[in-house]
Each structure stands twice: as structure tokens, then as C-alpha cells.
Amino acid sequence: MKIKPENASCAIIKDKNNNFILQKRDNKKNIFFPNHWGLFGGAKNRNEKYINTIRREIYEEINIKITDFKYFMNLKFDMKLLVNKEINRHCYIAEVKNLKRMNISLNEGRSYKIFTQKELIELLSNKNLIVPYDNLVLWFYLNKKRLISY
């Protein structure tokens, strides 16, 4: 079964208590990294802006409206030899008041879980459980104060 790489947006959704919400992906052969934990988000529609993609995806996947996303980083995959194009994954941060008090309704994926920062760090150390590119984005977020700016 073939899978198709597409431009996408994702979001680190956290609350003021440093809790993070992740999605347990479906166990389907036609998706990237089935049965792994990952960030919420998804493929960009043609002519859609990346910021609008993440707003739409979050609403479709967990039925909450978040309007205040801050751009964090872009992962660029040069896949010209594999699929004859470059793939971009724009990553955003959304901070909400309290994840545990939100009315979350899962519409996509197997489940979701709210992780403490300590639990998230433990999850990141087991790379077989989390989508690799989401692992990278979360690592950069958690270690941003250690990075040297030029």
C-alpha cells in the first residue's frame, strides 16, 4: 500500500502547567508511523496557508478551536529523488489555559493523552514510540534555551 508525502502543519499544544497533548496515531498501513504518538496536525490543502491548515486540523481532530498559534519551525524534506518534490512541515506552538479542563472530543487517531513535561521527556527517549520528526520538533522545543543563536 502506497503512502503519499504532502506538505503539512503540526502543533505543540501545551498548557500553562507544562502539560502537553499528543495523539496516538491509528494502526493503519496507509499512514506514516502507525500506532506512534505524535503531534496533532495534518496535510495542507492546495492554496491553503500553513497557519490555516493547523487551525483546521486541530478542529477536525479534537474539536477545539485555537486561534493563537505561534510559528516555531519548519522541517524541510528534500525528497526529489523519491517523490520528485520537496516537503515542508510547518510547526506551531499553541498555549492554552488548562488541557485537563478542555472539552476534547477525539475525531481522528486511536486516542490522545495529556503528558506532563517529565512524562514527555521520558517518551522522547524511546524513539520507537513517537513519530520521528515530531520527536525532533519536541526536542528542539524542550531544549530551545540551550541552542546558540547566531
Side-chain angles (χ1 to χ4, degrees):
M1 183 164 295
K2 293 192 177 205
I3 53 178
K4 185 178 178 185
E6 295 291 343
N7 290 324
S9 290
C10 67
I12 296 171
I13 304 172
K14 66 178 292 289
D15 67 19
K16 295 185 186 302
N17 299 313
N18 278 327
N19 294 309
F20 298 79
I21 186 170
L22 296 179
Q23 175 195 56
K24 181 77 165 197
R25 296 175 57 80
D26 287 315
N27 196 17
K28 296 178 181 176
K29 293 179 182 178
N30 65 334
I31 66 171
F32 288 96
F33 305 102
N35 210 34
H36 283 63
W37 288 103
L39 298 172
F40 285 96
K44 177 181 166 298
N45 293 329
R46 186 179 178 151
N47 298 325
E48 185 178 39
K49 293 182 179 185
Y50 285 96
I51 188 70
N52 293 334
T53 299
I54 196 56
R55 288 183 182 127
R56 175 183 52 77
E57 287 286 342
I58 297 302
Y59 185 72
E60 288 175 1
E61 293 180 355
I62 53 178
N63 205 38
I64 60 173
K65 287 189 178 183
I66 299 175
T67 56
D68 189 23
F69 289 94
K70 291 181 178 62
Y71 176 80
F72 181 58
M73 65 186 300
N74 177 38
L75 298 178
K76 187 179 285 193
F77 300 92
D78 183 345
M79 299 181 70
K80 292 176 190 135
L81 291 175
L82 296 170
V83 293
N84 200 31
K85 66 179 179 177
E86 193 172 87
I87 303 296
N88 287 283
R89 184 168 174 85
H90 284 228
C91 307
Y92 296 87
I93 299 167
E95 187 169 313
V96 298
K97 193 172 186 178
N98 189 330
L99 282 168
K100 294 178 180 177
R101 291 191 176 168
M102 294 186 82
N103 187 17
I104 296 168
S105 174
L106 186 71
N107 299 320
E108 193 174 309
R110 292 181 68 186
S111 64
Y112 72 88
K113 182 177 176 184
I114 297 169
F115 292 86
T116 65
Q117 185 166 319
K118 182 180 178 188
E119 291 170 329
L120 182 61
I121 290 167
E122 290 172 12
L123 179 67
L124 293 174
S125 69
N126 190 339
K127 292 173 180 50
N128 292 330
L129 297 178
I130 191 164
V131 175
Y133 39 79
D134 291 347
N135 189 309
L136 179 66
V137 171
L138 287 162
W139 187 93
F140 273 114
Y141 178 79
L142 293 170
N143 290 281
K144 62 187 178 288
K145 290 182 180 173
R146 294 176 50 204
L147 299 175
I148 297 171
S149 92
Y150 294 92

